[in-house]
Amino acid sequence: MWLKPDEILLKNAFKLWVTEKDNEYFVLQRRRGYGEGGGGLTGLLVGTLDTVLDSTSKVAPFRILHHTPDSQVYWSIACGVTKEEIVQHWDWLQQNIMRTLSVFDSSEDITSFVQGKIRGLIAEEGKTSLVLEDDPDKFREALLRFEKWFELPPEEKLVTYYSCSYWKGKVPCQGWLYLSTNFLCFYSYLLGAEVKLVISWDEIWRLEKTSNVILTESIHVLAHGEDHYFSMLLHLSETFVIMEQLADYSIKRLFDKEAFQKEPALSDPLQITKRGLEAHAKSDQFRAFFRLPKEENLLEVHESFLWVPFSHFNTLGKICLSENYLCFASQDGSQCHVIIPMREVVNVEKPDSSNRTLTVCVRGKRALRFSEVRDYQRLANTIRSRCGISASPQYSASSEAIRGECQSLINHFEDNPEDVTLMVGQKDSSKAVSTEALMTVFHPQDVENLDPKMLKEKMKEQSWNIHFSEYGRGTSMFFTRKTRDLIVRGVPEALRGELWMLFSGAVNDMATHPGYYTELVEQSLGTSTLATDEIERDLHRSLPEHPAFQSDTGISALRRVLTAYASRNPKIGYCQAMNILTSVLLLYAKEEEAFWLLVAVCERMLPDYFNRRIIGALVDQAVFEDLIRENLPQLVEHMTDLSFFSSVSLSWFLTLFISVLPIESAVNVVDCFFYDGIKAILQLGLAVLDYNMEALISCHDDAEAVTILNKFFDSVTNKDSPLPPTVQQASVGNNDKASHISVDISELIQEAYKKYGHIRSEEVESSRKRNKLYVIQTLEDTTKQNVIRVVSQEVRFNVSQLDELYNLFKRQHFLSCYWTMKSPALLHHDPSLAYLEQYQLGFQQFSVLFSLLEPWAFCTSKSTLSLWVFRLIDENQDGLINFKEFCCALDTLYGGSFTNKLIFLFKLHLPPAFTGSPLHLKEQRIQNFIPLTEDSSHLSRLTAFDLPEDGVIRKSPERGKGKVDLQAYLKQWQNEILKKEETIKDLPRINQSQFIQFSKTLYNIFHGDPEEESLYRAVAHVTSLLLRMEEVGRRLQEPRSPPETKKPANTTAAEEEASAEDASTTPESSDPSSPHNSQDAVPDLSETDWSFSFEQILASLLNEPTIVSFFDRPVDIQTKLRQARVAQLKQKANK
């Protein structure tokens, strides 16, 4: 590797380096302790010094220096891990530089020329790979160390590195922590003791910051049941954030199959950088805080003051700019923020350059003034260009008129602060959907009704109208503490739909996608999928007691919204609880608005909630448990196992309390959820447990605790609800009302905010990330235990061996996904399938793993024999091998009897494994197993071996896109149950070409064995004997009947080629067709067809003790598994 020329001091350096080559201008040196001799004690000391100090030499044992004869100054210009690498650099210097140097007159010119040449080479190398790194030179050195120490595949992208201590037991090891796209790595070398650690991000269970008596602050990593602690980090918080982001990136990419198509920084795992991860994290926080669509990315941040008319002062905060939104959030504790869609901006003016002021005029006669903006001119131009103000025909008024209007607005605010009427916004009157909210249809408000509840409702509306007049109305309204206070007190029925749309951000989604919902409805209605079947089943279970869903109006609207969403997002499709949530949304929002609210909930506010494994809900339950431990210590002391609360609270999170509270009370909870997100649900959950603390502590079992909570929810009322009794839900526990005092939902919510309002959204998000790793790994472990339980009944492997095999199998699946975003292997992983089908291997993956684990040396990844094994054990011929099929094959080869092993080898040379007959070639095309040499480009569908990795014809469609053929599954299951025990008499006879290949396979198996010669002679003897037996049998049968088999076909080209290669390793004397072994057999059989039964082959081989002892030789399974675990990554790296 070429290095940036750096001056070095050689006064004492010759004690550490040995000169290998030199000439007039260059010196090639080797580090002591490397290469020949090892260096003894000096080598140990030098190795320790190299690891602790941050120098290139610590992993580059070779280097090239530049010097001139009349100068004592040396410059390091290259280093190398191996002697071959450094010699290449040396030879290049000899061929390209040495001749040129003779033309220079002065040493300074020579040195300048060499330095310039080397810098040019470095710049050429780093044009693509290192252009995004903060310090390319240091990063190149770190990359060199990373590649040498860990020997990972060259595609693996190093993201960043840190110096730290790793605690091995109670002893700290000083070394280097390397964070790459797929791995966490650590290396330390102290006095001959090397510590090397490589952990995949997808294998981590826990990642958290901890502190104790010994370690003031450290990072704790739990993987494979082992705890790892990293401390003494100079930037611990920065390191932890990067680790957290890489773990989250790996989980989303490998388990959630997220492609990051709209985020260029993360779309290619080979180009991940620290800068890209940080930008992604900031954009995530930005979108979550302002409830913006996923397409938005944080582009610019500017500190500024915003003039707040209702408070009459400037508040300090930050302007955040994305592609389509201008947002502001205060930083002085006022909790004020505002979101301005670019589509609402009328003009941008700079009226005062002295205090760097920027004025943004928006629709509705509103203006926002930002002051003390450092780069206000560039920001103004950016906003103008993104709004397209000059090009928009609807704002064709002259710039002078607009400037005058904006200035008059500003002057009016300053001169008349009490007059805030100009702040009243205008509601968008567009009606994309003609339907009304169901509550408006089924419960229209009676204007003349003046009962106390209606009067209170009118007072609430008046309070909100006053709020709108002060803070604005619509998309660019100010969000403040007062807004939250009004939410907590309750939202009036008439404004609920509008405010839900505003607080959730759904109003922006709908405004930027006009006509989208209508198109989805037209496309999706009438289609029949698994999702639509489930929707139809649940339609009449959604708020069945509400009049709106006792009629076709409500049911049809619910069907359209759910079906449209299933069509929009087939990854989710439809999940239970979505119907209940959507029903409530339709009560207060128009149909299209309800659809966009559902989009906001499923895709932004409750991520990963609505899928088969409800990972998001499980993660939030874990967050809830953490909050219980922090805030309700008395309850924790009494109930040490908090998993009870997880099972009880699942419906709270999935339905936002709608399924446990009466509808008139539950909507108040939904109000808070749309404003504060999941934080509101967590707070309310804590308040519920706190309210019932004494009763829960005194209960004796879980059933009693469930009864207590159910009675409590039945007693919750909404005394201010204007809904009539026909609309309100009847409480299940009416008979017990006397024994339980009623609780008003508004008071309960206010109590929740008062006691637990200190919980910050940032803390909740951090806890979500921390717990998501544990939840996913727990689900994965459950899958593994279920698979092992099923497979253990079929094989002789013990549980620990199956556990190790499963880890190897799963890792092989992920290895093909690490370095590409669109790996076909990701299509194989579907958590909605049965446990055994969740992880499956295609041919290429299987071939690599099988070559690591097979007991003999005949099955390399390039051999057609691995293809035959794959075809044989792929029972359903779908081009995929599941874990059970894989283990059953290994079990036969490791622990099967001589007969069973021979049956397995015999079957390898019969269809469907060995494709040696015309009949089978026809069947093979039907089953999509085309010979490797056949051109299948004309086929309309891909075959199992056409794709470069392991393309597959899926037997189960993507969820939400088509129906699963349950009848096919049942038939397959029935066939497996009725499958009778196979006997050797059921095996077909083996023909000529198959038998020849069978003999060659035996030769390949025995190749390299200590008893190779005797095994070869035994095979030759058996072959000769079988041929003579066949000749005798043929002569006896010839007068009575024709030969049993037809003329054999040639094998496929790939198989012939492999056979030729295999035959080249077979001794000529051992060839079954050689004159030495079968002089009298071959001439008589050369013009005729012949075949053998398995019984004949078995009987012949049993007479050869060397062959029997070879197959009965025990295999050290543990050693095989250990070697495979070490070699799995290296094999990928060496490809």
Side-chain angles (χ1 to χ4, degrees):
M1 182 179 77
W2 298 110
L3 300 176
K4 181 180 178 182
D6 188 22
E7 185 178 343
I8 60 172
L9 183 64
L10 288 186
K11 183 178 181 181
N12 297 314
F14 287 108
K15 297 179 181 178
L16 303 176
W17 294 88
V18 179
T19 299
E20 298 269 316
K21 295 182 180 181
D22 64 344
N23 58 36
E24 189 177 2
Y25 298 109
F26 301 102
V27 179
L28 190 156
Q29 295 182 330
R30 172 178 57 84
R31 188 77 162 171
R32 288 187 184 274
Y34 295 89
E36 299 177 2
L41 180 61
T42 305
L44 288 177
L45 293 173
V46 171
T48 301
L49 182 67
D50 290 347
T51 304
V52 174
L53 298 180
D54 184 15
S55 65
T56 310
S57 62
K58 63 176 171 287
V59 293
F62 299 95
R63 71 178 182 180
I64 297 176
L65 306 178
H66 163 66
H67 73 104
T68 52
D70 56 349
S71 172
Q72 298 299 315
V73 177
Y74 285 75
W75 301 82
S76 63
I77 59 172
C79 66
V81 176
T82 63
K83 190 167 184 177
E84 291 75 15
E85 180 187 359
I86 204 69
V87 166
Q88 284 182 358
H89 286 26
W90 178 267
D91 292 342
W92 188 90
L93 291 171
Q94 298 298 314
Q95 296 169 10
N96 298 279
I97 300 294
M98 284 297 294
R99 296 176 184 176
T100 310
L101 297 183
S102 60
V103 304
F104 292 100
D105 297 328
S106 65
S107 300
E108 291 79 6
D109 292 341
I110 292 174
T111 301
S112 298
F113 174 77
V114 171
Q115 290 181 357
K117 198 69 177 175
I118 299 302
R119 287 194 178 97
L121 291 171
I122 293 173
E124 193 66 29
E125 285 180 357
K127 271 184 179 179
T128 55
S129 59
L130 303 174
V131 69
L132 297 176
E133 305 301 339
D134 295 331
D135 191 339
D137 292 329
K138 282 192 174 182
F139 195 84
R140 289 174 77 249
E141 297 176 10
L143 183 60
L144 183 70
R145 300 194 294 267
F146 175 72
E147 290 174 348
K148 176 183 182 291
W149 282 339
F150 303 108
E151 300 179 19
L152 294 172
E155 300 95 340
E156 183 63 15
K157 176 68 172 67
L158 176 64
V159 176
T160 188
Y161 60 99
Y162 301 93
S163 172
C164 72
S165 290
Y166 168 64
W167 289 79
K168 194 174 183 181
K170 296 183 179 179
V171 180
C173 304
Q174 183 64 31
W176 291 87
L177 178 68
Y178 293 87
L179 308 179
S180 66
T181 306
N182 299 294
F183 300 97
L184 179 155
C185 305
F186 176 83
Y187 184 86
S188 173
Y189 182 87
L190 294 172
L191 297 177
E194 184 181 55
V195 178
K196 188 183 295 186
L197 186 70
V198 178
I199 302 173
S200 301
W201 293 114
D202 58 270
E203 297 171 343
I204 292 178
W205 284 64
R206 287 280 187 194
L207 180 62
E208 56 194 353
K209 287 194 284 189
T210 60
S211 60
N212 53 41
V213 178
I214 301 175
L215 304 174
T216 53
E217 198 171 16
S218 62
I219 296 175
H220 171 221
V221 177
L222 174 62
H224 300 298
E226 296 181 7
D227 293 296
H228 307 278
Y229 292 91
F230 302 92
S231 64
M232 306 291 289
L233 285 149
L234 188 61
H235 306 287
L236 188 136
S237 296
E238 175 193 302
T239 308
F240 178 74
V241 169
I242 294 293
M243 292 170 72
E244 198 175 49
Q245 290 167 359
L246 283 169
D248 187 58
Y249 174 68
S250 181
I251 291 295
K252 286 181 178 178
R253 190 164 63 89
L254 300 177
F255 291 98
D256 300 343
K257 304 180 189 176
E258 193 167 326
F260 301 95
Q261 294 178 350
K262 296 181 180 178
E263 297 183 68
L266 301 182
S267 60
D268 185 359
L270 305 183
Q271 300 297 329
I272 300 298
T273 62
K274 178 182 172 184
R275 190 184 304 173
L277 285 171
E278 290 171 345
H280 172 71
K282 289 177 181 177
S283 293
D284 266 352
Q285 294 174 356
F286 167 68
R287 287 190 294 263
F289 184 82
F290 293 108
R291 305 279 168 77
L292 298 179
K294 284 187 175 182
E295 295 77 19
E296 299 301 312
N297 293 294
L298 182 60
L299 303 177
E300 297 179 22
V301 178
H302 302 267
E303 282 196 358
S304 74
F305 287 90
L306 172 64
W307 171 251
V308 186
F310 49 84
S311 298
H312 318 311
F313 72 91
N314 285 311
T315 180
L316 175 64
K318 287 185 177 180
I319 299 172
C320 301
L321 191 68
S322 70
E323 289 87 348
N324 299 296
Y325 295 89
L326 173 69
C327 307
F328 177 87
S330 65
Q331 293 180 294
D332 56 5
S334 62
Q335 296 181 6
C336 168
H337 71 272
V338 62
I339 304 165
I340 307 169
M342 294 294 187
R343 63 180 184 275
E344 298 287 328
V345 176
V346 177
N347 198 23
V348 181
E349 288 299 324
K350 301 171 290 189
D352 189 356
S353 59
S354 61
N355 58 358
R356 295 173 294 186
T357 300
L358 191 74
T359 302
V360 179
C361 301
V362 298
R363 294 183 190 180
K365 297 182 179 180
R366 296 186 55 203
L368 292 92
R369 189 181 69 175
F370 301 96
S371 58
E372 300 300 330
V373 183
R374 179 174 297 178
D375 200 354
Y376 70 101
Q377 290 185 347
R378 187 174 66 83
L379 178 61
N381 293 333
T382 302
I383 297 173
R384 282 200 193 97
S385 64
R386 293 198 173 277
C387 296
I389 292 172
S390 58
S392 178
Q394 53 189 333
Y395 305 123
S396 56
S398 65
S399 58
E400 291 79 8
I402 295 173
R403 187 183 297 111
E405 181 183 355
C406 292
Q407 189 61 47
S408 65
L409 284 171
I410 295 164
N411 295 337
H412 189 86
F413 290 143
E414 293 177 346
D415 299 337
N416 305 287
E418 70 285 350
D419 185 5
V420 291
T421 56
L422 289 176
M423 294 296 292
V424 180
Q426 296 177 351
K427 290 178 63 178
D428 189 1
S429 59
S430 63
K431 294 185 178 181
V433 179
S434 59
T435 58
E436 294 294 325
L438 295 179
M439 195 64 80
T440 307
V441 177
F442 288 89
H443 177 54
Q445 289 192 6
D446 187 357
V447 181
E448 298 180 358
N449 185 2
L450 297 178
D451 64 4
K453 288 186 177 181
M454 284 304 300
L455 285 174
K456 194 157 189 178
E457 187 75 3
K458 293 295 182 185
M459 290 174 63
K460 282 184 183 179
E461 289 185 27
Q462 186 63 29
S463 299
W464 275 97
N465 286 328
I466 294 172
H467 182 79
F468 291 148
S469 67
E470 293 180 355
Y471 299 89
R473 186 172 188 172
T475 52
S476 50
M477 182 179 82
F478 282 90
F479 296 81
T480 65
R481 278 203 192 98
K482 191 173 180 182
T483 313
R484 179 183 278 117
D485 292 341
L486 286 173
I487 289 286
V488 171
R489 278 185 242 153
V491 174
E493 300 280 319
L495 297 175
R496 186 161 271 136
E498 176 189 345
L499 293 176
W500 286 358
M501 290 288 291
L502 180 63
F503 297 148
S504 66
V507 63
N508 293 314
D509 290 325
M510 193 170 82
T512 53
H513 295 83
Y516 176 79
Y517 174 67
T518 307
E519 291 177 8
L520 270 183
V521 170
E522 292 174 356
Q523 293 172 8
S524 59
L525 282 184
T527 59
S528 179
T529 64
L530 181 63
T532 56
D533 289 349
E534 293 176 345
I535 289 169
E536 290 297 327
R537 183 189 61 204
D538 288 347
L539 282 176
H540 295 278
R541 304 177 188 176
S542 311
L543 303 184
E545 65 284 334
H546 197 286
F549 299 100
Q550 295 171 358
S551 71
D552 185 61
T553 304
I555 294 296
S556 298
L558 182 60
R559 178 187 293 112
R560 286 191 294 270
V561 172
L562 291 175
T563 306
Y565 186 77
S567 176
R568 166 190 167 85
N569 191 346
K571 184 178 177 181
I572 292 177
Y574 169 77
C575 185
Q576 283 189 343
M578 288 174 67
N579 59 322
I580 297 174
L581 177 61
T582 309
S583 301
V584 175
L585 299 178
L586 282 167
L587 290 178
Y588 293 97
K590 298 175 183 179
E591 189 176 312
E592 184 179 9
E593 293 174 342
F595 169 79
W596 287 111
L597 284 169
L598 185 63
V599 170
V601 171
C602 295
E603 298 176 14
R604 289 201 301 270
M605 302 185 72
L606 295 178
D608 298 326
Y609 260 62
F610 302 101
N611 53 41
R612 293 292 181 189
R613 301 201 291 180
I614 55 172
I615 289 175
L618 296 176
V619 169
D620 284 341
Q621 284 181 303
V623 175
F624 188 50
E625 286 185 19
D626 291 343
L627 291 174
I628 292 173
R629 291 188 186 92
E630 293 174 15
N631 297 280
L632 301 173
Q634 289 180 325
L635 197 59
V636 175
E637 289 175 9
H638 178 73
M639 304 182 73
T640 53
D641 183 13
L642 298 182
S643 60
F644 161 74
F645 295 112
S646 295
S647 59
V648 169
S649 63
L650 182 61
S651 61
W652 305 358
F653 291 99
L654 280 174
T655 65
L656 308 178
F657 284 92
I658 295 170
S659 62
V660 293
L661 288 174
I663 185 65
E664 67 276 7
S665 301
V667 290
N668 286 37
V669 179
V670 179
D671 295 339
C672 299
F673 167 75
F674 277 124
Y675 190 83
D676 274 323
I678 195 62
K679 173 177 173 284
I681 306 299
L682 294 168
Q683 289 175 179
L684 184 61
L686 291 173
V688 168
L689 297 181
D690 189 20
Y691 191 93
N692 295 278
M693 177 82 73
E694 294 181 5
L696 289 172
I697 289 176
S698 61
C699 67
H700 299 90
D701 53 34
D702 292 352
E704 188 178 347
V706 170
T707 303
I708 290 169
L709 290 174
N710 286 339
K711 287 183 178 180
F712 170 77
F713 287 128
D714 291 339
S715 68
V716 175
T717 61
N718 188 348
K719 61 184 181 183
D720 297 332
S721 175
L723 299 180
T726 56
V727 174
Q728 296 187 16
Q729 285 182 343
S731 178
V732 177
N734 278 335
N735 298 331
D736 300 327
K737 274 279 180 82
S739 61
H740 221 294
I741 303 172
S742 63
V743 180
D744 183 61
I745 186 63
S746 296
E747 295 175 1
L748 184 62
I749 291 174
Q750 288 177 20
E751 186 72 11
Y753 273 88
K754 182 180 178 182
K755 284 189 174 182
Y756 308 108
H758 62 274
I759 298 172
R760 297 170 61 242
S761 298
E762 292 82 1
E763 295 172 357
V764 172
E765 287 302 318
S766 177
S767 183
R768 270 179 162 179
K769 288 181 181 178
R770 183 174 66 251
N771 283 290
K772 184 176 182 179
L773 291 172
Y774 185 78
V775 167
I776 286 181
Q777 296 296 358
T778 302
L779 292 172
E780 290 292 306
D781 192 60
T782 302
T783 298
K784 179 171 72 172
Q785 298 306 325
N786 284 312
V787 169
I788 290 175
R789 187 176 65 251
V790 171
V791 175
S792 62
Q793 300 172 8
E794 307 282 337
V795 297
R796 284 172 286 267
F797 294 117
N798 60 41
V799 174
S800 64
Q801 290 168 347
L802 283 173
D803 186 279
E804 190 69 32
L805 276 171
Y806 185 89
N807 291 336
L808 289 169
F809 190 87
K810 179 180 172 183
R811 193 179 205 191
Q812 191 63 42
H813 164 85
F814 279 132
L815 277 176
S816 61
C817 312
Y818 280 163
W819 299 283
T820 178
M821 190 59 75
K822 297 179 180 179
S823 168
L826 281 177
L827 299 176
H828 307 169
H829 180 225
D830 188 351
S832 66
L833 294 176
Y835 289 124
L836 273 173
E837 308 296 325
Q838 287 189 20
Y839 288 105
Q840 302 179 88
L841 300 184
F843 169 65
Q844 296 294 338
Q845 298 166 296
F846 163 81
S847 181
V848 173
L849 183 58
F850 195 69
S851 67
L852 295 174
L853 291 171
E854 51 85 22
W856 310 305
F858 76 94
C859 185
T860 62
S861 59
K862 295 181 180 179
S863 172
T864 53
L865 283 168
S866 62
L867 173 59
W868 300 344
V869 174
F870 183 82
R871 288 171 175 169
L872 176 63
I873 64 178
D874 182 17
E875 295 179 359
N876 56 5
Q877 298 192 346
D878 64 346
L880 293 173
I881 298 297
N882 64 34
F883 183 66
K884 181 181 176 182
E885 294 167 336
F886 183 76
C887 285
C888 288
L890 281 184
D891 183 59
T892 301
L893 296 178
Y894 280 0
S897 64
F898 174 76
T899 304
N900 288 335
K901 291 178 181 177
L902 198 61
I903 290 174
F904 187 87
L905 291 173
F906 188 82
K907 286 182 175 180
L908 285 183
H909 302 85
L910 295 172
F914 183 80
T915 56
S917 68
L919 175 63
H920 181 68
L921 286 177
K922 184 178 179 181
E923 294 173 350
Q924 180 180 312
R925 290 188 180 94
I926 295 173
Q927 295 295 339
N928 298 297
F929 284 93
I930 307 300
L932 293 175
T933 57
E934 183 168 335
D935 181 13
S936 57
S937 60
H938 64 284
L939 297 180
S940 59
R941 51 182 179 176
L942 294 173
T943 65
F945 301 105
D946 288 333
L947 292 180
E949 184 66 25
D950 24 334
V952 151
I953 297 175
R954 296 305 306 278
K955 63 185 176 187
S956 65
E958 282 291 315
R959 291 181 55 242
K961 289 187 177 178
K963 289 187 177 181
V964 176
D965 190 354
L966 298 178
Q967 293 295 329
Y969 277 123
L970 290 173
K971 187 176 181 181
Q972 180 182 337
W973 184 40
Q974 184 182 20
N975 291 337
E976 289 178 359
I977 294 175
L978 298 177
K979 188 185 296 182
K980 63 178 182 178
E981 187 70 26
E982 186 180 49
T983 65
I984 59 176
K985 293 183 179 180
D986 298 324
L987 294 172
R989 295 175 69 86
I990 192 169
N991 65 27
Q992 179 179 339
S993 62
Q994 293 166 349
F995 178 73
I996 291 173
Q997 189 60 53
F998 176 78
S999 302
K1000 291 178 180 178
T1001 299
L1002 290 178
Y1003 285 130
N1004 287 328
I1005 292 175
F1006 301 149
H1007 182 67
D1009 191 83
E1011 299 181 10
E1012 181 178 354
E1013 282 300 321
S1014 60
L1015 287 167
Y1016 280 173
R1017 284 195 296 271
V1019 172
H1021 182 263
V1022 168
T1023 305
S1024 177
L1025 178 62
L1026 286 169
L1027 289 172
R1028 289 191 179 97
M1029 290 170 58
E1030 175 61 20
E1031 172 63 13
V1032 173
R1034 188 188 64 80
R1035 287 176 178 174
L1036 291 174
Q1037 294 179 4
E1038 192 171 18
R1040 290 174 292 176
S1041 62
E1044 189 174 323
T1045 58
K1046 297 181 181 180
K1047 186 177 179 179
N1050 293 329
T1051 58
T1052 61
E1055 290 160 351
E1056 287 179 351
E1057 184 182 347
S1059 301
E1061 292 175 1
D1062 295 341
S1064 65
T1065 63
T1066 307
E1068 184 178 347
S1069 61
S1070 302
D1071 194 324
S1073 61
S1074 65
H1076 178 75
N1077 294 308
S1078 52
Q1079 293 178 5
D1080 56 344
V1082 175
D1084 292 333
L1085 295 175
S1086 60
E1087 297 180 358
T1088 60
D1089 297 331
W1090 40 267
S1091 63
F1092 299 112
S1093 68
F1094 177 76
E1095 293 98 319
Q1096 291 175 303
I1097 296 175
L1098 175 62
S1100 302
L1101 289 174
L1102 282 172
N1103 288 324
E1104 300 294 336
T1106 53
I1107 294 179
V1108 175
S1109 62
F1110 175 86
F1111 282 107
D1112 285 341
R1113 191 183 302 164
V1115 179
D1116 188 348
I1117 300 174
Q1118 291 301 130
T1119 302
K1120 273 284 183 184
L1121 293 174
R1122 184 172 62 253
Q1123 292 172 348
R1125 186 169 62 249
V1126 174
Q1128 199 170 25
L1129 263 180
K1130 290 185 178 179
Q1131 187 152 355
K1132 179 75 179 178
N1134 294 332
K1135 275 193 170 185

